[in-house]
Amino acid sequence: MTDKADKAAKLDAADELADLRAQFVLDDTVYLDGNSLGALPRSVPGRIEDVVRRQWGSLRIRSWDESGWWTAPERIGDRIAPLVGAAAGQIVVGDSTSVNIFKAVVGAVRLAGGGAGGREEGVGVRDEILVDATTFPTDGYIAASAARLTGCTLRPVAPDEVPRALGDRTAAVLLNHVDYRTGRLYDLPGLTAAVHAAGAVSVWDLCHSAGALPVGLDEHGVDLAVGCTYKYLNGGPGAPAYLYVRRDHQPRFDSPLPGWNSHADPFGMSTDYAPAPGAVRGRVGTPDILSMLALEAALEVWDDVPIEAVRTKSLALTDFFLECVEAYVPTGAVESVTPTAHASRGSQVALRCAEAGDVMRRLIARGVIGDFREPDILRFGFTPLYVGFGEVERAARVLGEMF
Amino acid sequence: MTDKADKAAKLDAADELADLRAQFVLDDTVYLDGNSLGALPRSVPGRIEDVVRRQWGSLRIRSWDESGWWTAPERIGDRIAPLVGAAAGQIVVGDSTSVNIFKAVVGAVRLAGGGAGGREEGVGVRDEILVDATTFPTDGYIAASAARLTGCTLRPVAPDEVPRALGDRTAAVLLNHVDYRTGRLYDLPGLTAAVHAAGAVSVWDLCHSAGALPVGLDEHGVDLAVGCTYKYLNGGPGAPAYLYVRRDHQPRFDSPLPGWNSHADPFGMSTDYAPAPGAVRGRVGTPDILSMLALEAALEVWDDVPIEAVRTKSLALTDFFLECVEAYVPTGAVESVTPTAHASRGSQVALRCAEAGDVMRRLIARGVIGDFREPDILRFGFTPLYVGFGEVERAARVLGEMF
């Protein structure tokens, strides 16, 4: 046994979260792509079978009440809330991440009194939206559309430059908590405070942080946030996303997608729109029940799992991976673009590498599953709920054999 | 056996679609609420189990390619296409009906060169959106938001008044093919032609017609259309909706929700948005795979079922129901608000009735499942794929016993 394998065995033996692995369907591959699609929780298949055969097949339309379908978006939102540091009643599940970003960015501009609608003689105009210049692309595309529709200008800026770019024309700022390529964790408390100091409204994309590390939405006064549920929350392919609207913003949250599900009296079938109070205001149309209830079952694994313990293990996993890469991979073959400082690291490691696409294909053929991101990034995600240290050692060892 | 029961038996014996019933999970209730949530097709549970256990559980991230997840929205769109009279390549599945209405109405205003962005000195301004004044509420709410964001005025008009209301300021017109309350079928070819004659762009909501009667999108030159899949298409609770963009409009279709899934090169991860050609341009974010693949399985029942035969049976069912209601229900107890003329009737019958909410509760307790719509409507939907004439007779007979 090598030194690293020996160390891995000791780390696994001391891992307080090790038992959680049994709650997932896994095999003999090393699955380091949970930051793209989380593994299947064992609680899901039986639940979905019940939803399909009994709730849909037998109860049919009655399930909207009797099986709790109607209230699923806010009920499941409350289940996600503690994982991102939110009190109940502020998160609603439904629609894709992209659609929720649209609701949030337009909503943020309106909360800031910004956009073309805010123009009055002699009153300062907030007509600028700042967006992370290195963002996952959909955030930028949707923010551009939100800017166009609200009469704002979109200005891409590096997150580090946001404090300098903020001003009295800034309406909203859309940022990623963790960069999808590099795995860099940004300073959510500090950047949110800077946005507030400028009188603007913050929107955070939590796709690559929720379920991997503490977010502290309430504690840090985040205004609006959006995240997906199919990465570290293991909700399944294309599972619905969620929208957080801080409680004190809710009465003024003015969604650009006011569907019948967000009406104060949806079955009153009124031609006039009256928004529901609370998080429900973020709903739109009929929720996709199968995907949503799969997510609900998947979230059961989090019962009694403190997110702080998850973070501790996550950092230990990425530390150990970097240590093993250094030991096994020939010098110069790869270069980590993930920050070494814990305060700036999410739960993934991104390695720059020549011929990265080809290297990843060969890794996958050897049973180490990560992914490739253009142009030259090998991306490895570490889900603390089911990844062990022995797997980390194996992944780095196999990677070393690629060169 | 009564006259009506005798007639029902004969109609059932002659029913060419009768065998299709065996493809659905049904019980001894009379399910006349398929216009709200279609019954479970027997093809669905096994498929979903495979999607969950094998595609997600074992193949995981590989399923985006190997299980065809990535292309599901357009593949399933092509499966819906013949049911609504569309050639392939014009329909994409995903998101809720409400979200698709938003894409379609904003897209329609832009296709018409309308809204605030169309204002130029000396050029006529198309700054009005017409909407069916009796529409299902979400269409009206979303159209109001689309109007607000594009600098248009929203004008609700009765569908019969649309030809008179159209003018050179009309940018877009949002209409329902079948009214959700009364079951009235509107003249899609005639109204579409009137919209075109005024130089405006039509958006049709097919929620209550697709799968129940021929729509003829291509034949009648409809510009944009939207529909749900959980009513007559039996896709399951909250199954994703679809968007039709007529082929010649696609190059200019300018979605207000340009997500990474509608990018010409989604994995290029470019910060600049370049829309994909074709129907894919209507996609937004990551599709909800479980709900979407349940829909795909559900659509198998349509193989070799001509929509004209479905329409013939649908009219026979509603004719016979009205005939039985007249025979069994005391005069004056109910009044049909559904047109008697076939050309103006969808696949449901709506009966106005005192204490309708209470009457429906008692009907349901007796095994006849319809629904109640405010303020005084008993609504019965007739899905030709699985409703038989004997059930129709029984439903009317039990209704008669309520008074």
Side-chain angles (χ1 to χ4, degrees):
Chain A
M1 195 177 250
T2 66
D3 281 0
K4 297 302 174 197
D6 186 51
K7 181 168 178 182
K10 284 177 182 143
L11 287 165
D12 277 327
D15 176 9
E16 289 176 15
L17 302 181
D19 289 350
L20 292 170
R21 181 179 170 90
Q23 296 191 37
F24 291 87
V25 175
L26 293 161
D27 50 30
D28 60 0
T29 60
V30 181
Y31 192 64
L32 302 182
D33 212 3
N35 55 333
S36 185
L37 176 66
L40 173 64
R42 292 193 184 279
S43 53
V44 169
R47 178 72 55 84
I48 283 300
E49 184 173 2
D50 182 64
V51 170
V52 171
R53 290 184 189 270
R54 187 181 60 87
Q55 297 183 9
W56 174 11
S58 296
L59 296 177
R60 289 188 288 263
I61 200 74
R62 290 162 54 191
S63 275
W64 283 107
D65 290 326
E66 293 179 27
S67 304
W69 289 355
W70 184 262
T71 52
E74 50 270 26
R75 180 178 73 242
I76 303 172
D78 281 347
R79 192 132 197 177
I80 291 171
L83 299 178
V84 291
Q90 300 174 101
I91 293 183
V92 71
V93 174
D95 304 309
S96 67
T97 306
S98 300
V99 168
N100 280 295
I101 290 170
F102 185 73
K103 298 177 204 169
V105 175
V106 173
V109 169
R110 290 173 174 172
L111 283 171
R119 265 165 218 172
E120 286 176 47
E121 205 79 38
V123 176
V125 179
R126 290 194 180 267
D127 61 359
E128 198 169 73
I129 298 171
L130 303 185
V131 66
D132 175 354
T134 55
T135 186
F136 184 74
T138 214
D139 300 57
Y141 308 155
I142 293 286
S145 175
R148 174 180 173 193
L149 286 164
T150 57
C152 286
T153 302
L154 184 69
R155 188 173 158 203
V157 287
D160 290 334
E161 301 298 318
V162 163
R164 264 180 297 240
L166 287 161
D168 56 13
R169 296 188 65 163
T170 314
V173 184
L174 172 60
L175 293 165
N176 294 275
H177 197 191
V178 171
D179 184 280
Y180 80 103
R181 286 177 71 254
T182 64
R184 177 166 168 193
L185 171 67
Y186 284 100
D187 174 16
L188 180 143
L191 286 167
T192 302
V195 170
H196 289 170
V201 176
S202 62
V203 180
W204 283 93
D205 180 333
L206 310 178
C207 284
H208 287 272
S209 64
L213 51 91
V215 177
L217 289 177
D218 286 353
E219 179 185 355
H220 304 303
V222 166
D223 301 283
L224 299 155
V226 167
C228 81
T229 62
Y230 44 76
K231 299 181 189 293
Y232 298 104
L233 298 179
N234 313 300
Y242 58 89
L243 173 70
Y244 165 90
V245 180
R246 203 177 72 197
R247 192 180 308 282
D248 60 310
H249 283 321
Q250 289 171 354
R252 288 205 310 127
F253 178 70
D254 184 1
S255 173
L257 294 171
W260 75 292
N261 273 230
S262 65
H263 196 283
D265 179 18
F267 291 94
M269 301 284 165
S270 167
T271 54
D272 297 318
Y273 182 70
V280 171
R281 189 172 290 205
R283 289 178 63 165
V284 187
T286 303
D288 49 339
I289 292 300
L290 302 192
S291 293
M292 191 164 295
L293 299 188
L295 167 62
E296 186 170 36
L299 290 170
E300 288 176 5
V301 72
W302 291 96
D303 290 350
D304 308 318
V305 177
I307 193 72
E308 292 73 17
V310 170
R311 173 61 168 165
T312 300
K313 181 175 172 188
S314 162
L315 287 170
L317 287 166
T318 51
D319 273 344
F320 186 55
F321 182 67
L322 289 167
E323 178 184 326
C324 291
V325 165
E326 180 148 346
Y328 289 129
V329 179
T331 305
V334 302
E335 175 201 0
S336 173
V337 299
T338 300
T340 48
H342 284 181
S344 301
R345 191 195 304 162
S347 197
Q348 74 178 56
V349 171
L351 302 177
R352 184 167 287 141
C353 168
E355 311 287 346
D358 181 56
V359 170
M360 183 51 72
R361 271 187 296 278
R362 290 190 289 129
L363 271 175
I364 290 170
R366 292 280 308 276
V368 175
I369 319 295
D371 60 24
F372 162 64
R373 282 292 175 264
E374 292 278 4
D376 56 0
I377 295 289
L378 301 173
R379 201 174 68 150
F380 302 96
F382 298 83
T383 300
L385 300 191
Y386 55 74
V387 172
F389 294 90
E391 295 182 296
V392 167
E393 188 270 344
R394 177 176 151 202
R397 184 160 32 82
V398 174
L399 176 63
E401 293 165 13
M402 297 289 114
F403 304 98
Chain B
M1 194 178 252
T2 67
D3 281 357
K4 297 302 175 197
D6 187 48
K7 182 169 178 180
K10 284 177 182 145
L11 287 166
D12 276 328
D15 177 8
E16 290 175 14
L17 302 181
D19 288 351
L20 293 170
R21 181 180 169 91
Q23 297 191 37
F24 292 87
V25 176
L26 293 160
D27 51 28
D28 60 358
T29 61
V30 181
Y31 192 62
L32 302 180
D33 213 1
N35 55 333
S36 186
L37 176 66
L40 173 64
R42 291 193 185 278
S43 53
V44 168
R47 179 71 55 85
I48 282 300
E49 184 172 1
D50 181 62
V51 170
V52 170
R53 291 185 189 269
R54 187 180 61 86
Q55 297 184 9
W56 174 11
S58 296
L59 295 177
R60 289 188 289 262
I61 199 74
R62 291 162 54 191
S63 275
W64 282 107
D65 289 326
E66 293 179 26
S67 304
W69 288 357
W70 183 263
T71 52
E74 50 270 23
R75 181 178 73 241
I76 303 172
D78 281 348
R79 191 132 197 176
I80 292 172
L83 300 177
V84 291
Q90 300 174 100
I91 294 183
V92 72
V93 174
D95 305 308
S96 67
T97 306
S98 300
V99 168
N100 280 295
I101 291 170
F102 184 74
K103 298 177 204 169
V105 175
V106 173
V109 169
R110 290 173 174 174
L111 283 171
R119 263 165 221 176
E120 288 175 44
E121 204 79 38
V123 176
V125 179
R126 291 195 179 267
D127 62 357
E128 198 169 75
I129 299 172
L130 303 185
V131 66
D132 175 354
T134 55
T135 187
F136 184 75
T138 212
D139 301 56
Y141 308 156
I142 293 286
S145 175
R148 174 180 173 194
L149 286 164
T150 56
C152 286
T153 302
L154 184 70
R155 187 172 158 204
V157 287
D160 291 334
E161 302 297 320
V162 163
R164 264 180 296 240
L166 287 160
D168 55 12
R169 296 188 65 165
T170 314
V173 184
L174 172 60
L175 293 165
N176 293 275
H177 197 191
V178 171
D179 185 280
Y180 80 102
R181 285 178 71 253
T182 65
R184 177 168 168 193
L185 171 66
Y186 284 100
D187 175 15
L188 179 143
L191 287 166
T192 301
V195 171
H196 289 169
V201 176
S202 60
V203 180
W204 283 93
D205 180 333
L206 310 177
C207 284
H208 288 271
S209 64
L213 50 92
V215 177
L217 289 177
D218 286 353
E219 179 185 354
H220 304 304
V222 166
D223 301 283
L224 299 155
V226 167
C228 82
T229 62
Y230 44 76
K231 300 182 190 291
Y232 297 105
L233 298 180
N234 313 300
Y242 58 90
L243 172 69
Y244 165 90
V245 180
R246 203 178 71 197
R247 193 180 308 281
D248 61 307
H249 283 322
Q250 289 171 356
R252 288 205 309 127
F253 178 69
D254 183 3
S255 173
L257 294 171
W260 75 293
N261 273 230
S262 64
H263 196 284
D265 179 19
F267 291 94
M269 302 284 166
S270 167
T271 53
D272 296 318
Y273 181 70
V280 171
R281 190 173 290 205
R283 289 177 64 165
V284 186
T286 303
D288 48 340
I289 292 299
L290 302 192
S291 293
M292 191 163 295
L293 298 188
L295 166 63
E296 186 171 36
L299 290 170
E300 288 176 4
V301 73
W302 291 94
D303 289 350
D304 308 316
V305 177
I307 193 73
E308 292 73 17
V310 170
R311 174 61 168 165
T312 300
K313 181 174 173 187
S314 162
L315 287 170
L317 288 166
T318 52
D319 273 345
F320 187 55
F321 183 67
L322 288 167
E323 179 184 324
C324 291
V325 165
E326 180 148 343
Y328 290 130
V329 179
T331 305
V334 301
E335 174 202 1
S336 173
V337 298
T338 300
T340 50
H342 284 181
S344 301
R345 192 194 304 161
S347 198
Q348 73 178 57
V349 170
L351 302 177
R352 184 167 286 140
C353 168
E355 312 287 346
D358 182 56
V359 170
M360 184 50 72
R361 272 187 293 278
R362 290 191 288 129
L363 271 175
I364 290 170
R366 292 282 306 278
V368 175
I369 318 296
D371 60 24
F372 162 65
R373 281 294 175 265
E374 292 278 2
D376 57 1
I377 296 289
L378 301 173
R379 201 175 68 150
F380 303 96
F382 298 83
T383 301
L385 300 191
Y386 56 73
V387 172
F389 294 90
E391 293 181 298
V392 167
E393 187 271 343
R394 177 176 150 202
R397 184 159 33 83
V398 174
L399 177 62
E401 292 165 14
M402 297 289 115
F403 303 99

